[in-house]
Amino acid sequence: MGMATAKHVLKRLLMMFAGYLVAVLVGLIAVVAIYAALSSLPNAPEYFSFFVVTPIAALVVPPLGMFIYFLTIVVTGMQTLIFALIAEFFSLRNFLMHMVFGAAAAACGFFLIWSSSAEDLDPARWADIGIIAAAGLVAGLVYWLIAGRDAGFRRPVVAALTY
């Protein structure tokens, strides 16, 4: 019984890790897609179009892409780890909760990089926070699809079928 539980917990930890890595990648793609869509709107800030070019630079210069990916992991890792462990201990499997936490983790990561953004009342800065949070919603959904649907360190009890 002990070995089966240990294997289950190890499997859950690996699923959490894999889900997080994929969710970060999809979240970064969502950031680019959102900026690309919004850059075509009238009165969009000029720097929005810069974020459409950045993925091309990241593809042409792979170290730049890896830097962006690992920087995102660094600034969102701790809060995501805390939430993922809470979700596992309490078997929290609601996709909306994972999405909201993804948005919160992404916004917190944004505040870690630009700590003055909380005091900055520039509407463009608040638009950036909204865009990052929206990408976090997408990342939270991806995490839920990979690891959150089956959250729980405790193995589910299977009732014996009796006829």
Side-chain angles (χ1 to χ4, degrees), residues 82-93 97-98 143 151-152:
I82 290 168
F83 175 74
L85 289 174
I86 290 170
E88 291 295 326
F89 280 119
F90 296 108
S91 299
L92 303 175
R93 298 179 178 146
M97 183 186 55
H98 282 84
Y143 177 83

Side-chain angles (χ1 to χ4, degrees), residues 61-152:
V61 185
L64 176 63
M66 293 304 289
F67 174 75
I68 294 168
Y69 182 70
F70 287 117
L71 178 65
T72 305
I73 289 172
V74 167
V75 299
T76 62
M78 187 55 67
Q79 59 266 32
T80 303
L81 175 65
I82 290 168
F83 175 74
L85 289 174
I86 290 170
E88 291 295 326
F89 280 119
F90 296 108
S91 299
L92 303 175
R93 298 179 178 146
N94 186 335
F95 77 96
L96 289 174
M97 183 186 55
H98 282 84
M99 289 177 70
V100 167
F101 182 75
C108 288
F110 183 85
F111 283 119
L112 286 174
I113 292 175
W114 284 285
S115 58
S116 67
S117 62
E119 297 88 28
D120 190 3
L121 296 178
D122 181 23
R125 184 63 60 205
W126 286 102
D128 290 335
I129 294 169
I131 292 167
I132 299 296
L137 286 171
V138 173
L141 179 63
V142 169
Y143 177 83
W144 175 79
L145 287 169
I146 294 171
R149 291 184 297 174
D150 300 322

